[in-house]
Amino acid sequence: MSKLVQIPEDVHFLIVDHLDRPSKFRLTRTCHYFRHLLEPILYRHIKLGFTDCNHRLARLHRTLVERPSLIPHIRSYYGHVVSILPLMKSSFFERRIRRKKNKPITREEALEKAVYVFTQATNVVELEISSPWDWTSESNTALEPIRRAVSKMSLKRLIFWQGAVEVDRILRNQPELEKLEVGWDTSGLHLLDTTDLPKLKSLTAPLREAVLLVPGRPIEKLHVRQTFIDPDYFNDLWFRKLSLSTGHITEFFIHLFCMSGDEPYYVDERLRVALQVISRNLTQLERLTIDVSGSVAGQVILEEVPAFRFLRSLTFLEADLTAPSPNCVGKLASDNSQGNGTIRQVPVLESWDDVFDHLKRSCPSLVSTKLTWP
């Protein structure tokens, strides 16, 4: 061990970069040297699961309060603000986080520790507070110190859960924010000025929230999430607003959410309309990902994808290939006459490989095609 610690720290850092988190933790228990070396690394990225966050969160906050020198090393935080369950006297979680004097930790004490940690964590650049209540609302006065602390952070990435309210108060103070994820029914976005979030390049949001955030900002990557079939989902009015990004949107992720009972005609037409609306308004797309969650006809893809002039990568998620429905009339199906008495042959598409091969012939810029099942 004495020879090992004589190796320069820079070399040790290169070595431990190849270790996973449990291995790094075990290494900290071998000697004081490696504990001093690796603890800042272990606390750099904090991610707490939902099921075990009660006792782990309390233990984490207790450690950080007792050893505040570790707090400045935190760069990303994913987890709750305080425990999600009451720390009852008889609970299993409470027994695991008792103080040395065997005194239970109350919710007020847990909140006090959380406030101390967040007010000191000024170097956090990625934040997701996955609380079951809304920590952004002014009505939750107990968490006001947390909101003030977050507003003072210079964040690069911020994630709001669904139902977050009054988020404009926090976003106005994030001029360095580059990645933002918001959930459904997020309020306060319409109160933002176009000068807010001047460096926002990546956005994940439902369509209604996206049309409020994209115009006037340099969005390049856009992930539009949706959990239901909205009859107005694919329309030029909304997607025209998405085209108002000051930076061209080159990467786009969209959901079709085809239901299991949908007729093939409706699925094919939904895909056709989606591709037409996207190609008309997001003209600079280079990478397109479509979550189908159903079956589509390859004919529709061959007819509509060539409209994307700069497309380099095309990915379909959870998509089965089917024959075109009899009611789905498109360019290849209806205009198969050449006008001189000859009939143009519609390609036979038996597999996704056939679809992708035909696509690459008709789309010279397309270099990558994928079919992925998460």
Side-chain angles (χ1 to χ4, degrees):
M1 179 63 69
S2 60
K3 293 183 179 180
L4 183 60
V5 298
Q6 291 175 3
I7 299 176
E9 281 192 0
D10 293 344
V11 178
H12 283 150
F13 282 125
L14 292 175
I15 295 174
V16 299
D17 277 344
H18 296 279
L19 299 178
D20 57 16
R21 188 177 182 84
S23 298
K24 292 176 183 177
F25 175 74
R26 287 191 288 268
L27 188 57
T28 62
R29 308 188 68 174
T30 58
C31 67
H32 290 291
Y33 171 79
F34 280 115
R35 180 180 180 181
H36 173 76
L37 183 72
L38 294 180
E39 271 191 334
I41 298 177
L42 290 173
Y43 282 90
R44 186 176 300 167
H45 304 290
I46 295 176
K47 187 172 184 178
L48 302 174
F50 187 85
T51 56
D52 61 346
C53 68
N54 226 40
H55 66 277
R56 288 186 60 198
L57 180 60
R59 187 170 56 193
L60 170 67
H61 286 175
R62 182 186 62 186
T63 300
L64 294 175
V65 169
E66 294 175 352
R67 302 181 59 195
S69 62
L70 294 173
I71 300 179
H73 295 286
I74 301 175
R75 303 288 292 173
S76 64
Y77 184 96
Y78 302 88
H80 296 323
V81 178
V82 292
S83 304
I84 63 174
L85 299 175
L87 301 180
M88 304 299 291
K89 184 176 181 180
S90 59
S91 72
F92 169 75
F93 296 117
E94 186 276 335
R95 292 196 299 270
R96 296 195 60 174
I97 57 174
R98 288 179 186 271
R99 292 181 176 179
K100 294 180 179 179
K101 295 183 179 180
N102 206 34
K103 180 182 177 181
I105 296 178
T106 64
R107 176 61 61 83
E108 290 74 20
E109 291 174 312
L111 180 58
E112 181 182 352
K113 286 181 170 57
V115 169
Y116 177 82
V117 170
F118 274 88
T119 54
Q120 300 299 315
T122 56
N123 293 328
V124 173
V125 295
E126 295 190 7
L127 180 65
E128 176 185 2
I129 297 180
S130 54
S131 298
W133 58 83
D134 181 27
W135 64 276
T136 62
S137 175
E138 287 185 350
S139 61
N140 197 336
T141 57
L143 297 181
E144 178 59 29
I146 303 293
R147 290 191 289 272
R148 289 200 302 266
V150 172
S151 297
K152 294 179 181 179
M153 295 176 180
S154 183
L155 297 175
K156 297 289 187 180
R157 183 185 184 195
L158 178 60
I159 301 174
F160 290 110
W161 277 32
Q162 67 184 64
V165 300
E166 302 165 0
V167 298
D168 55 293
R169 298 182 302 111
I170 295 174
L171 293 177
R172 282 198 186 97
N173 298 309
Q174 300 299 331
E176 301 299 320
L177 193 68
E178 297 178 357
K179 298 181 180 181
L180 175 63
E181 296 183 30
V182 299
W184 300 273
D185 298 325
T186 300
S187 69
L189 297 176
H190 66 287
L191 299 175
L192 292 173
D193 297 327
T194 54
T195 55
D196 296 325
L197 307 178
K199 296 184 179 181
L200 188 63
K201 295 183 179 181
S202 177
L203 174 64
T204 299
L207 184 57
R208 286 187 174 89
E209 283 74 12
V211 297
L212 295 174
L213 287 166
V214 171
R217 297 185 176 88
I219 307 295
E220 298 177 356
K221 298 180 180 180
L222 179 58
H223 180 152
V224 176
R225 52 166 61 144
Q226 202 77 1
T227 58
F228 58 91
I229 300 301
D230 191 329
D232 297 324
Y233 193 26
F234 298 107
N235 68 73
D236 284 294
L237 178 62
W238 284 22
F239 276 77
R240 197 174 298 121
K241 293 182 179 180
L242 298 183
S243 68
L244 298 179
S245 168
T246 56
H248 296 300
I249 295 178
T250 59
E251 185 171 332
F252 191 65
F253 190 116
I254 194 74
H255 297 259
L256 286 185
F257 284 101
C258 302
M259 308 302 291
S260 58
D262 285 345
E263 293 292 333
Y265 166 73
Y266 294 110
V267 178
D268 294 340
E269 280 305 296
R270 191 175 298 140
L271 176 60
R272 184 187 300 282
V273 171
L275 292 174
Q276 290 176 352
V277 171
I278 296 171
S279 64
R280 281 196 299 264
N281 295 281
L282 304 181
T283 59
Q284 303 295 319
L285 275 190
E286 297 179 6
R287 293 174 293 277
L288 175 62
T289 300
I290 301 177
D291 186 349
V292 178
S293 299
S295 301
V296 295
Q299 173 188 317
V300 176
I301 299 172
L302 292 185
E303 293 169 357
E304 304 300 339
V305 170
F308 295 89
R309 294 181 299 164
F310 303 103
L311 195 65
R312 297 176 56 83
S313 174
L314 177 63
T315 302
F316 287 94
L317 301 182
E318 299 191 53
D320 288 322
L321 190 65
T322 62
S325 60
N327 296 325
C328 182
V329 179
K331 300 172 187 175
L332 301 182
S334 61
D335 298 334
N336 59 355
S337 174
Q338 300 284 6
N340 55 4
T342 62
I343 302 297
R344 181 175 59 189
Q345 184 177 3
V346 177
V348 178
L349 307 173
E350 297 182 351
S351 67
W352 278 103
D353 289 337
D354 293 337
V355 175
F356 292 151
D357 287 343
H358 282 89
L359 267 183
K360 289 182 178 180
R361 296 193 194 105
S362 58
C363 303
S365 63
L366 191 61
V367 296
S368 174
T369 52
K370 297 179 183 178
L371 176 66
T372 305
W373 289 82

